[in-house]
Amino acid sequence: MNRLEIDELIDDPGTRILVCCGSGGVGKTTTAAALGLRAAERGRNVVVLTIDPARRLAQSMGLTELDNTPRRVVDVDETKGGSLHAMMLDMKRTFDEIVEQHADPERAQQILDNPFYQSLSSSFAGTQEYMAMEKLGQLHATGEWDLIVVDTPPSRSALDFLDAPQRLGSFLDGRLIRILSAPAKVGGRGALKFLSAGMGLMTGALSKVVGTHLLTDIQTFVAALDTTFGGFRKRADATYKLLQARGTSFLVVAAPEKDALREAAYFVDRLGTERMPLAGLVLNRVHATRAGRLSAERSLAAAEALTEQAESAEEAGGEPDGSASRPADLRLVAGLLTLHAERLRVIDREERMRTRFTSIHPEVWVAEVPALPGDVHDLDGLRVIGESLGTG
Amino acid sequence: MPTTRDDRRAERPGRTRWTDAVNTSTTGARTTDGNADWEGVRLHVVSGKGGTGKTTVAAALALALASGGRRTLLVEVEGRQGIAQLFDCPHLPYEDRKIAVAPGGGEVYALAIDPEEALLEYLDMFYHLGRAGKGLKKLGAIDFATTIAPGLRDVLLTGKACESARRRTHGRFAYDAVVMDAPPTGRIARFLNVNTEVAGLAKFGPIHTQAEAVMGVIRSPQTAVHLVTLLEEMPVQETVDGVTELRQSGLPAGGVVINMARPPLQAEDESDTGQRLTPELLEAGLVAGGIKPTRPLISSLLAEADEHASRIELESTGRALVRGLDLPVYELPLLADGMDLGGLYRLAEALREQGMA
């Protein structure tokens, strides 16, 4: 296994954007925050864009409100000249801001009031992913930070993050939406005349399915959006390109579980296809033991022996003879030994999972973070994670 | 990071009685039908934060509900083929397929709902499109329609699940229950409520009618939305928030399933929780068990015990929060060997014993 040198990555001034991807529940947000903090304390000016942090983690970073603006995180060691800012993404607000920036006030209001826009900006599957990319583009454009760490939205599939802009872009800009919106633009059904009979039947069916009102809302929305942006897809494409730019690196985050590693493998393949640079895999919550010499078998055999001793002591009536321990103590030690055996089984399984991944993807560099007994919700906790990321 | 994995590569750990102890330490066995907590519920929606094991719990519930000669349908809506992977069977088509036999002669069917196919099905139902439907597909119109109308995709997914729950053959329901492996907690209320939104957006037409009908089922006592959680801070918080959101949206909150729970160290003797493990006590115990008590071994094992104890403490905090929700709570043990088909049957059995099915 090639060990991923996280410190080399975050110390390199050429690293400008780090995107943390992975399926839901693997610790993306915590990883992004820990990386940001470590990079800042090693001297970089960092902004961390988080999507949906745990409340206490957010509070510890000073993120008390969703205001879409980076806030400076206090209690960060800035002696090496670095700093840490953090922000939470407000998806609707980001979309609104794009509209407000690009349209005159009257037209902007027209778009913002459109029911289709409201629904799209708050609930379209993929809007969150796209807006995360938009925000990344904006942060990058300010030039204020020399490292941007991005957390990606929670979804079952890590691929959603890459697919969203194209999905959003292509449906707002696709051939069909142009045909549908044509009548609104020319003020009548004139444009439809040129369509084949089949196409006419189709738009008819569609309007029946989605309802005439909705279709009209869509038409006016697209017309307004189109004159504002001159094509949404172009914008989506430009944002997407940022992810292929020099200085951008992806970190795939996973837990040593079958599903999470399968998602990670899909993502690694996809990055390859898209020619996007993969920095490596961060494997979170890896179990370890310092008592590996005591095997699971011996541990269990001893536990069994102790339980038997406890039983016979109890049958003999209460206090054991000589130096032997109380039955309850024997049971307690038996419990601990069983727990140890259990832990070894978990370690064993995790290692099998990791080996499977690394044999299929030997080129991927891996950094491991040990499983912590508790949740991380303060800077000290993030430092601990950062430390194990850095030093392994 | 200290690890001695290499030492144990050749070992094959044996079966422990640890998790078994939890399986049987739950409430008394309930094996008769008609005694379960969710009698009368036809649509079980299973949600939870990512990584909590929604698909596993949904599958275990479908198995549990099918036992004793019943028939259930396990529905997947996110196109990830998680059910096929779990049951180790080929890619599921858009068609009900029998995937497992439950204890006592029941049957579990599975369906991966494909939004495009579902749309074609609806179009055909409403307009008898026939060949025109195929033309729509060719032109990319179906893709367009399932993506464009906000939530139309979700309307079709929820609609198909409701249709399966209500479908009748020969005068009786085709399935005794339908279990949906639903989107995560963060999106669940929006997902289920999409029909309300769409009914408002598309004010007329069949989609409007359809959306209203689906909402009728989802908001009725025939539906229960169960949330899966782990006893960790974020999943528990998300569960608490999720229940609040469900209640505010008028959606029927069902039970909470705590997944991958760890048994406390004193599982076999709960009354004795006051006692502490000391180095001396551990040393004596190791000697009695025939293990050489070296100092590093003792300190490593004590560290493992401490780690376990602090996790158990965190878990009990989480458990208290979950119990405070005033919903039925079920608990499933962590399976050290990971999830496989055998484990799934054990989880189903645990759900039955606890009265979820």
Side-chain angles (χ1 to χ4, degrees):
Chain A
M1 183 181 81
N2 298 312
R3 217 177 76 78
L4 169 63
E5 298 294 341
I6 287 285
D7 285 347
E8 269 175 33
L9 181 71
I10 57 177
D11 288 348
D12 180 359
T15 307
R16 304 299 306 276
I17 295 172
L18 273 179
V19 188
C20 299
C21 295
S23 52
V26 294
K28 283 193 295 279
T29 307
T30 312
T31 305
L35 279 171
L37 178 62
R38 188 166 179 86
E41 296 194 330
R42 291 172 72 89
R44 312 241 6 223
N45 290 305
V46 188
V47 61
V48 176
L49 170 59
T50 68
I51 307 296
D52 194 12
R55 208 166 293 165
R56 282 163 73 189
L57 177 64
Q59 279 167 1
S60 75
M61 299 181 78
L63 297 173
T64 42
E65 50 190 317
L66 193 79
D67 60 359
N68 229 14
T69 323
R71 299 274 168 207
R72 191 170 193 135
V73 182
V74 293
D75 296 330
V76 173
D77 176 6
E78 299 183 345
T79 50
K80 292 197 176 142
S83 68
L84 179 64
H85 283 71
M87 68 165 288
M88 268 192 281
L89 178 75
D90 180 338
M91 146 176 108
K92 184 161 188 346
R93 179 95 169 252
T94 306
F95 211 148
D96 290 356
E97 281 169 6
I98 299 172
V99 171
E100 281 159 359
Q101 270 167 24
H102 288 81
D104 56 78
E106 195 189 334
R107 196 179 283 279
Q109 201 53 48
Q110 205 185 335
I111 298 177
L112 298 182
D113 289 342
N114 187 296
F116 177 72
Y117 169 77
Q118 289 171 358
S119 190
L120 176 81
S121 60
S122 57
S123 66
F124 176 71
T127 304
Q128 203 178 28
E129 282 86 351
Y130 181 67
M131 288 306 141
M133 268 192 210
E134 269 286 342
K135 200 74 210 173
L136 168 62
Q138 290 174 11
L139 291 172
H140 184 68
T142 64
E144 276 180 57
W145 291 280
D146 58 43
L147 178 64
I148 305 171
V149 183
V150 196
D151 169 27
T152 52
S155 68
R156 183 162 290 195
S157 168
L159 294 178
D160 287 353
F161 180 67
L162 295 180
D163 288 334
Q166 277 164 334
R167 245 172 80 200
L168 190 66
S170 65
F171 102 58
L172 284 179
D173 218 26
R175 192 158 65 111
L176 269 152
I177 204 160
R178 293 198 170 271
I179 291 161
L180 287 175
S181 51
K185 270 193 275 185
V186 299
R189 296 180 62 85
L192 287 177
K193 276 186 196 158
F194 302 103
L195 301 173
S196 69
M199 196 69 107
L201 170 68
M202 189 188 63
T203 46
L206 271 181
S207 89
K208 273 193 220 166
V209 172
V210 300
T212 323
H213 275 261
L214 181 54
L215 206 57
T216 314
D217 285 343
I218 295 171
Q219 287 167 352
T220 46
F221 168 72
V222 174
L225 202 64
D226 203 37
T227 46
T228 312
F229 292 128
F232 203 87
R233 181 181 254 168
K234 256 196 211 150
R235 190 183 171 90
D237 284 350
T239 312
Y240 196 66
K241 286 239 163 63
L242 188 60
L243 297 177
Q244 290 165 318
R246 269 175 80 97
T248 301
S249 280
F250 284 82
L251 278 172
V252 180
V253 185
E257 305 285 341
K258 197 160 71 180
D259 292 346
L261 279 173
R262 184 174 44 232
E263 282 297 330
Y266 286 154
F267 198 79
V268 166
D269 291 343
R270 175 68 183 277
L271 286 178
T273 317
E274 303 278 329
R275 287 197 298 277
M276 290 177 176
L278 170 70
L281 174 77
V282 172
L283 207 50
N284 270 331
R285 299 186 199 142
V286 179
H287 288 85
T289 178
R290 283 184 291 131
R293 285 186 175 280
L294 178 56
S295 74
E297 281 89 349
R298 281 180 59 215
S299 209
L300 282 179
E304 220 164 279
L306 288 173
T307 310
E308 273 169 21
Q309 287 174 32
E311 274 164 11
S312 48
E314 276 158 1
E315 275 164 26
E319 288 308 302
D321 48 315
S323 63
S325 316
R326 293 188 304 133
D329 293 348
L330 294 173
R331 284 186 194 278
L332 189 63
V333 176
L336 178 56
L337 290 171
T338 315
L339 190 73
H340 175 66
E342 189 91 340
R343 190 187 185 94
L344 293 182
R345 286 169 80 194
V346 171
I347 292 172
D348 225 43
R349 169 171 57 87
E350 290 180 354
E351 173 157 287
R352 279 200 306 276
M353 292 297 149
R354 195 193 53 184
T355 307
R356 198 161 71 176
F357 180 89
T358 50
S359 359
I360 301 172
H361 293 282
E363 78 288 0
V364 177
W365 294 19
V366 184
E368 291 190 359
V369 180
L372 299 174
D375 296 304
V376 170
H377 36 62
D378 53 22
L379 294 188
D380 283 338
L382 290 178
R383 280 191 191 102
V384 171
I385 296 198
E387 183 67 21
S388 39
L389 275 168
T391 58
Chain B
M1 182 175 61
T3 169
T4 43
R5 286 185 184 127
D6 292 353
D7 301 347
R8 304 167 303 91
R9 206 162 253 163
E11 293 165 13
R12 215 170 301 130
R15 206 173 102 89
T16 75
R17 294 157 300 154
W18 199 250
T19 46
D20 295 356
V22 190
N23 271 347
T24 50
S25 73
T26 52
T27 51
R30 264 203 272 185
T31 44
T32 47
D33 289 327
N35 207 4
D37 295 347
W38 307 102
E39 203 59 39
V41 170
R42 307 200 48 75
L43 177 61
H44 295 264
V45 179
V46 179
S47 179
K49 182 174 154 52
T52 55
K54 279 188 304 290
T55 306
T56 307
V57 172
L61 181 59
L63 261 178
L65 289 166
S67 49
R70 296 181 169 209
R71 183 186 290 169
T72 58
L73 179 70
L74 178 58
V75 168
E76 175 172 70
V77 297
E78 291 189 299
R80 304 293 317 159
Q81 290 288 328
I83 297 175
Q85 280 155 11
L86 190 58
F87 283 90
D88 214 7
C89 60
H91 198 90
L92 289 172
Y94 179 59
E95 188 182 273
D96 301 9
R97 277 281 162 89
K98 187 168 149 184
I99 51 161
V101 174
E107 293 174 317
V108 179
Y109 283 72
L111 168 69
I113 303 180
D114 176 72
E116 296 194 1
E117 293 288 333
L119 179 58
L120 278 177
E121 194 178 286
Y122 279 117
L123 286 176
D124 207 47
M125 206 174 352
F126 292 125
Y127 304 111
H128 312 289
L129 283 184
R131 281 180 55 223
K134 290 207 184 75
L136 282 172
K137 204 171 175 182
K138 229 185 208 163
L139 279 159
I142 297 293
D143 191 24
F144 168 83
T146 47
T147 337
I148 187 169
L152 174 55
R153 197 184 171 86
D154 293 352
V155 170
L156 293 164
L157 297 172
T158 49
K160 180 67 188 172
C162 285
E163 184 267 323
S164 306
R166 288 184 300 171
R167 191 186 315 146
R168 284 170 181 276
T169 44
H170 311 298
R172 56 179 303 246
F173 284 115
Y175 295 103
D176 294 296
V178 172
V179 180
M180 183 202 276
D181 176 14
T185 325
R187 294 213 311 267
I188 188 66
R190 202 190 288 154
F191 174 76
L192 294 175
N193 260 332
V194 70
N195 290 282
T196 315
E197 192 178 331
V198 165
L201 272 174
K203 294 187 180 64
F204 312 97
I207 284 285
H208 175 83
T209 318
Q210 168 70 18
E212 295 255 279
V214 170
M215 255 6 256
V217 175
I218 288 180
R219 288 177 185 278
S220 78
Q222 286 178 42
T223 300
V225 184
H226 309 296
L227 298 179
V228 183
T229 190
L230 304 180
L231 290 178
E232 288 170 17
E233 184 187 352
M234 260 201 91
V236 166
Q237 188 57 51
E238 210 164 280
T239 303
V240 172
D241 294 347
V243 169
T244 310
E245 201 181 350
L246 287 175
R247 285 177 173 153
Q248 279 168 357
S249 329
L251 293 164
V256 178
V257 180
I258 294 173
N259 198 16
M260 305 185 218
R262 285 166 183 78
L265 194 50
Q266 288 95 344
E268 286 165 343
D269 194 0
E270 289 285 2
S271 59
D272 218 0
T273 45
Q275 70 173 291
R276 299 273 308 158
L277 200 58
T278 60
E280 296 72 35
L281 197 152
L282 179 57
E283 185 174 349
L286 288 175
V287 171
I291 291 170
K292 194 180 162 205
T294 63
R295 200 170 290 176
L297 179 63
I298 289 178
S299 77
S300 306
L301 286 178
L302 284 175
E304 284 178 16
D306 276 353
E307 207 175 285
H308 187 73
S310 54
R311 184 164 280 281
I312 292 293
E313 200 181 307
L314 269 174
E315 291 197 352
S316 56
T317 313
R319 193 178 280 115
L321 277 171
V322 169
R323 296 212 178 269
L325 289 170
D326 205 19
L327 294 172
V329 178
Y330 310 94
E331 218 163 294
L332 296 175
L334 174 76
L335 302 178
D337 285 338
M339 209 42 228
D340 59 11
L341 210 48
L344 199 58
Y345 278 85
R346 277 171 65 193
L347 296 185
E349 185 53 34
L351 288 179
R352 272 178 66 73
E353 280 169 3
Q354 296 174 48
M356 192 175 187

